[in-house]
């Protein structure tokens, strides 16, 4: 057992300097040579570098003054809390970083609570003290009043200039305990992340809790009841570097050679003994936002499925199941942790897998009770008929917002527009306050975050958690085109907004639908009643153009003939809606 190991994470609100602090640690410990150094070194995905945010946690091993550090950099956005919780399960300590110009933000609190739940030692640190606008005293006061920190325990650093960074790493040595292990013999390792390598199969990122593991050994995945022979063991420097053995307390990777991605699950336990007990991992991720993904080209359906499987290795919260929609063909009904998570998946499918895909409007999962069953409904098309339903419930969240005081008034109306009610406000040090409210998740996922940011000039921040399911007055709205129901366009809508939404949808469709030789009705139907209607006028074809002069009755005759033809067309009924119209409609 190695007493000189320290495993820790850096947690913070988005942009407070986690990845930059990780850079300084990499430099200080000589892990990355100076000439290879670049800003936010651990943000390796193109998407991360472009957006300037961390999406994936990144583990790295560093050696300094006789100690081995395993550091995990984490993402800060509310949608990636699950990613953070997995990193927390693999370490003993956390540096909680706060930007001195911003103060404590909603994600600071949320992450602090997560770290406490995991029983980690938390080291508070104030960052960006080099900036003239840094409010160190105020931030310190917030640490004391909100997190119960002692002033003398709070480190003050600049991740940019490096000031105070060495002291902070010394604090990690002093305050974070070395890994504790009870059993030296039996291997038990926790999978906290993974990705797919075309040559070595699934690469499992592991924290070895007990025992050791070497190349060539046979291991078991306890939850999926499958086995593999280790092709390689190693550590992150931050790129993968082989090391002949991983033992208790260490963080590293196992190349498993496994090609069937579903056999390796994040949260599962690896052991050499098939009948070992599972480590109690962390909670299963709960997808809260659902949308369907359709390939623009149906030939891409299989590639889409394969790509999602590979993405899931690296993004355990992603869920999906096949779905068939008449107009759009085959696709995947997928679950996400939030709308940003959904956007990131869309981008990654495009960039990393070269797929052209369309996402339908995001929706939440509803709990629906009928006479015969009680179930989660993930898509409007599956919502039972009104007469079968006893009740519908929807997820509610508790939202915490931290904002400068002057915006409270504006937020009051924003929150009530979202069917929420502010329940609790408290003053932070200085001119800021923390308020809480409860609202349907459906209202929060769409655009609340963007609105919050825009009314507060970017100064407010939020986090939320699901609290329960509450009764909801929701209806299923169908769209009919030329009398034909279009299941891909069905939506679940709150009763109070149904007229407004219906009008919006039929008008949009009218703009997009190509004209036919006959007039086409577009209707929105709710509970058997048509509540909005538009008509796409018929394409006018001049059938009498070739007649010159002569008797009007001849024209009449031709018009009559045309009329008849149109009737016939209409009675043949179907209007084929080209897939690209659906795609345009869904793309917004
Ligand atoms: P993360 O989202 O927490 O990983 O934050 P980043 O490390 O990506 O940093 C966000 C921004 O803050 C970047 O533009 C950094 O250059 C900047 N930054 C980070 N630390 C400091 C600091 O100590 N001083 C100053 N002036 N800027 C910093
Ligand atoms: Mg970062």
């Amino acid at each position: 057992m190695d007493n000189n190991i320290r495993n820790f994470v850096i947690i913070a609100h988005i942009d407070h300097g986690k990845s930059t602090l990780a850079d300084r640690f990499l430099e200080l410990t000589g892990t990355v040579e100076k000439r290879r150094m670049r800003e936010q070194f651990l943000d390796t995905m193109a998407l991360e570098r472009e957006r300037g945010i961390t999406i994936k946690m990144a583990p790295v091993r560093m050696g300094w003054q006789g100690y081995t550090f395993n550091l995990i950099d984490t993402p800060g956005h509310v949608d990636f809390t699950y990613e953070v919780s997995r990193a927390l399960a693999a370490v003993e300590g956390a540096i909680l970083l706060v930007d001195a110009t911003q103060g404590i933000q909603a994600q600071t609190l949320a992450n602090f609570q997560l770290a406490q739940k995991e029983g980690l030692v938390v080291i508070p640190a104030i960052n960006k003290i080099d900036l003239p606008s840094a409010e160190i005293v105020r931030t310190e006061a917030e640490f004391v009043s909100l997190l119960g920190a002692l002033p003398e325990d709070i480190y003050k650093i600049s991740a940019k200039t490096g000031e105070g960074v060495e002291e902070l790493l010394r604090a990690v040595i002093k305050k974070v305990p070395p890994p504790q292990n009870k059993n030296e013999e039996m291997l038990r390792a926790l999978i906290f992340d993974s990705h797919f390598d075309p040559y070595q199969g699934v690469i499992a990122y592991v924290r070895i809790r007990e025992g050791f593991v070497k190349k060539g050994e046979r291991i078991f995945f306890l939850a999926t009841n499958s086995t593999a022979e280790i092709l390689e063991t190693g550590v992150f420097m931050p790129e993968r570097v082989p090391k002949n053995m991983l033992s208790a307390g260490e963080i590293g990777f196992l190349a498993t050679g496994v090609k069937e991605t579903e056999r390796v699950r994040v949260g599962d336990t690896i052991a050499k003994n098939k009948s070992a007990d599972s480590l109690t991992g962390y909670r299963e991720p709960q997808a809260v936002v659902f949308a369907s993904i359709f390939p623009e080209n149906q030939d891409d359906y299989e590639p889409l499925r394969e790509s999602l499987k590979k993405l899931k290795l690296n993004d355990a919260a992603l869920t999906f199941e096949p779905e068939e929609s008449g107009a759009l063909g085959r696709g995947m009904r997928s679950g996400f942790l939030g709308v940003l998570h959904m956007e990131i998946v869309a981008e990654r499918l495009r960039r990393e897998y070269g797929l052209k895909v369309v996402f339908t409007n995001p929706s939440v999962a509803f709990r629906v009770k009928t006479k015969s069953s009680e179930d989660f409904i993930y898509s409007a098309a599956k919502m039972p008929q009104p007469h079968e339903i006893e009740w519908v419930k929807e997820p509610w969240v508790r939202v915490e917002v931290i904002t400068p005081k002057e915006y409270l008034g504006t937020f009051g109306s924003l929150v009530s527009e979202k069917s929420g009610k502010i329940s609790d406000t408290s003053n932070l040090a200085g001119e800021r306050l923390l308020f809480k409210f409860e609202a349907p998740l459906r209202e929060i996922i769409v655009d609340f975050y963007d609105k919050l940011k825009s009314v507060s000039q970017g100064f407010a921040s939020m986090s939320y958690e699901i609290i329960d399911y509450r009764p909801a007055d929701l209806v299923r709205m169908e769209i009919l085109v030329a009398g034909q129901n279009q299941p891909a366009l069905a939506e679940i809508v709150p009763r109070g907004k149904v007229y407004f939404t219906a009008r919006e949808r039929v008008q949009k469709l009218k703009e997009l639908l190509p004209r036919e030789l006959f007039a086409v009705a577009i209707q929105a139907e709710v509970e058997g009643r048509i509540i909005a209607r538009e008509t796409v006028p018929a394409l006018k074809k001049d059938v009498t153009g070739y007649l010159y002069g002569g008797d009007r009755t001849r024209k009449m005759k031709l018009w009559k003939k045309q009329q008849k033809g149109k009737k016939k067309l209409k009675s043949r009924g179907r209007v084929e809606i080209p897939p690209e119209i659906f795609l345009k409609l869904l793309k917004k």
Side-chain angles (χ1 to χ4, degrees):
M1 187 60 253
D2 195 342
N3 262 330
N4 290 351
I5 294 181
R6 296 293 182 276
N7 298 319
F8 70 104
V9 293
I10 308 176
I11 49 179
H13 193 75
I14 196 161
D15 272 350
H16 283 206
K18 294 176 292 293
S19 301
T20 308
L21 176 60
D23 289 351
R24 294 294 83 72
F25 284 148
L26 292 174
E27 245 171 41
L28 175 68
T29 59
T31 308
V32 176
E33 295 163 51
K34 217 151 192 134
R35 64 181 172 86
R36 281 177 59 215
M37 199 65 208
R38 53 178 191 176
E39 276 175 37
Q40 287 100 33
F41 193 86
L42 296 179
D43 289 345
T44 47
M45 278 165 59
L47 198 57
E48 290 181 314
R49 302 202 63 82
E50 223 166 83
R51 294 201 177 198
I53 60 169
T54 307
I55 295 163
K56 281 300 302 168
M57 67 168 112
V60 60
R61 180 188 179 103
M62 308 179 292
W64 189 61
Q65 303 202 336
Y67 288 88
T68 299
F69 300 90
N70 287 299
L71 157 66
I72 306 179
D73 182 20
T74 62
H77 190 278
V78 53
D79 278 17
F80 302 119
T81 302
Y82 178 67
E83 188 86 6
V84 176
S85 76
R86 283 155 46 203
L88 295 180
V91 298
E92 282 78 32
I95 294 178
L96 181 65
L97 206 58
V98 172
D99 181 337
T101 67
Q102 303 288 313
I104 284 177
Q105 298 288 340
Q107 282 303 301
T108 318
L109 288 180
N111 285 328
F112 174 67
Q113 283 149 11
L114 280 177
Q116 271 194 322
K117 239 189 252 167
E118 284 289 339
L120 304 188
V121 168
V122 175
I123 302 175
I126 298 174
N127 188 29
K128 307 197 187 180
I129 58 168
D130 60 293
L131 289 173
S133 53
E135 295 196 56
I136 301 169
V137 176
R138 195 196 76 182
T139 308
E140 201 173 60
E142 287 181 355
F143 257 124
V144 172
S145 71
L146 279 170
L147 310 181
L150 298 173
E152 61 269 28
D153 288 341
I154 303 168
Y155 289 78
K156 290 154 196 119
I157 67 160
S158 166
K160 187 157 198 164
T161 66
E163 190 183 343
V165 169
E166 189 173 326
E167 287 79 353
L168 188 55
L169 197 57
R170 286 189 198 288
V172 170
I173 296 175
K174 211 168 92 197
K175 299 189 172 172
V176 176
Q180 295 289 313
N181 302 283
K182 287 166 233 107
N183 188 333
E184 296 282 316
E185 295 302 315
M186 297 248 287
L187 169 73
R188 286 204 295 168
L190 181 69
I191 307 178
F192 65 90
D193 203 2
S194 61
H195 81 267
F196 189 78
D197 181 284
Y199 304 104
Q200 296 189 305
V202 176
I203 310 289
Y205 294 25
V206 293
R207 160 67 198 265
I208 312 287
R209 288 275 172 205
E210 296 159 12
F212 63 90
V213 62
K214 283 184 193 159
K215 181 174 170 168
E217 287 185 317
R218 177 149 298 279
I219 52 148
F220 295 93
F221 302 99
L222 299 183
T224 58
N225 200 12
S226 60
T227 179
E229 198 180 296
I230 301 299
L231 300 180
E232 190 173 85
T233 55
V235 294
F236 301 97
M237 298 291 293
E239 62 283 349
R240 301 204 307 267
V241 173
K243 180 173 181 289
N244 56 19
M245 181 169 100
L246 288 179
S247 47
E250 288 191 292
I251 289 175
F253 68 88
L254 304 178
T256 64
V258 172
K259 295 278 152 71
E260 305 79 18
T261 56
E262 53 280 1
R263 281 169 51 199
V264 185
R265 251 188 237 157
V266 167
D268 196 2
T269 302
I270 289 177
K272 285 187 222 168
N273 177 352
K274 213 174 172 166
S275 48
D277 290 331
S278 287
L279 294 161
T280 38
Y282 14 62
R283 68 189 171 86
E284 279 277 303
Q286 267 272 303
V288 292
V289 174
F290 295 84
S292 302
I293 313 176
F294 292 100
E296 287 191 10
N297 179 345
Q298 272 295 299
D299 293 342
D300 281 344
Y301 174 73
E302 276 305 324
L304 170 64
R305 217 165 78 129
E306 283 307 309
S307 308
L308 284 171
K309 280 187 187 172
K310 286 179 185 157
L311 263 184
K312 186 176 170 63
L313 274 178
N314 191 253
D315 186 350
L318 177 66
T319 62
F320 48 89
E321 61 180 37
E323 182 185 32
E324 181 86 45
S325 141
L328 293 164
R330 290 199 294 170
M332 287 285 178
R333 187 70 185 167
S334 306
F336 310 92
L337 296 180
V339 178
L340 178 66
H341 183 210
M342 177 175 121
E343 279 175 29
I344 297 293
V345 169
E347 282 286 317
R348 293 187 69 184
L349 283 174
R350 275 176 209 130
R351 288 174 187 221
E352 292 168 36
Y353 298 92
L355 289 170
K356 286 196 172 139
V357 289
V358 173
F359 281 62
T360 61
N361 290 328
S363 144
V364 302
F366 301 100
R367 189 115 194 115
V368 180
K369 170 98 170 77
T370 63
K371 280 167 198 87
S372 56
S373 68
E374 189 182 322
D375 259 321
F376 279 111
I377 299 290
Y378 299 100
S379 85
K382 300 233 169 87
M383 192 73 149
Q385 290 304 319
H387 64 269
E388 298 172 302
I389 297 175
E390 288 187 3
W391 49 251
V392 179
K393 289 182 182 174
E394 64 174 331
W396 274 60
V397 288
R398 180 177 301 114
V399 186
E400 284 191 16
V401 177
I402 292 184
T403 173
K405 277 187 185 140
E406 66 256 42
Y407 302 114
L408 186 64
T410 331
F411 281 135
S413 44
L414 181 57
V415 169
S416 56
E417 183 190 308
K418 296 290 179 193
S419 324
K421 211 171 139 244
I422 294 180
S423 61
D424 189 4
T425 52
S426 48
N427 285 306
L428 306 186
E431 289 302 296
R432 298 196 309 149
L433 43 84
L434 164 73
F435 71 83
K436 298 177 188 171
F437 69 93
E438 296 174 357
L441 174 62
R442 168 176 51 79
E443 296 282 3
I444 301 304
I445 58 170
V446 190
D447 57 0
F448 184 77
Y449 184 71
D450 294 339
K451 285 199 172 150
L452 183 87
K453 284 287 175 196
S454 74
V455 301
S456 68
Q457 265 113 49
F459 284 119
S461 66
M462 66 173 254
S463 70
Y464 65 76
E465 59 175 349
I466 295 194
I467 40 178
D468 52 12
Y469 278 73
R470 297 187 189 169
D473 194 5
L474 302 164
V475 292
R476 170 164 132 190
M477 182 175 81
E478 322 268 5
I479 300 290
L480 285 70
V481 177
Q484 295 267 328
N485 193 350
Q486 304 290 337
L489 299 180
E491 255 179 278
I492 296 173
V493 185
R495 194 180 295 276
K497 290 185 181 167
V498 74
Y499 285 92
F500 176 80
T501 318
R503 256 198 314 279
E504 234 182 30
R505 296 296 182 273
V506 295
Q507 277 164 8
K508 178 97 188 263
L509 247 180
K510 181 185 175 184
E511 281 165 32
L512 290 173
L513 271 184
R515 288 192 176 190
E516 302 277 344
L517 287 170
F518 50 90
V520 171
I522 303 166
Q523 297 161 306
E525 186 188 280
V526 168
E527 295 175 345
R529 281 196 315 126
I530 302 296
I531 61 165
R533 179 196 166 107
E534 285 285 342
T535 306
V536 183
L539 203 62
K540 285 217 177 70
K541 193 172 159 198
D542 189 358
V543 287
T544 60
Y546 68 92
L547 289 179
Y548 179 74
D551 189 354
R552 189 179 156 77
T553 54
R554 284 187 65 196
K555 277 194 184 176
M556 291 291 279
K557 217 165 142 189
L558 284 168
W559 281 329
K560 268 226 177 88
K561 204 169 127 199
Q562 186 189 25
Q563 228 30 140
K564 236 180 168 167
K566 283 188 181 178
K567 257 214 188 103
K568 216 161 103 196
L569 261 175
K570 204 168 183 173
S571 70
R572 249 191 263 145
R574 283 189 73 87
V575 176
E576 289 296 337
I577 304 180
E580 61 271 21
I581 300 291
F582 275 105
L583 300 181
K584 272 190 201 149
L585 205 66
L586 295 172
K587 265 181 182 161
K588 286 205 159 161

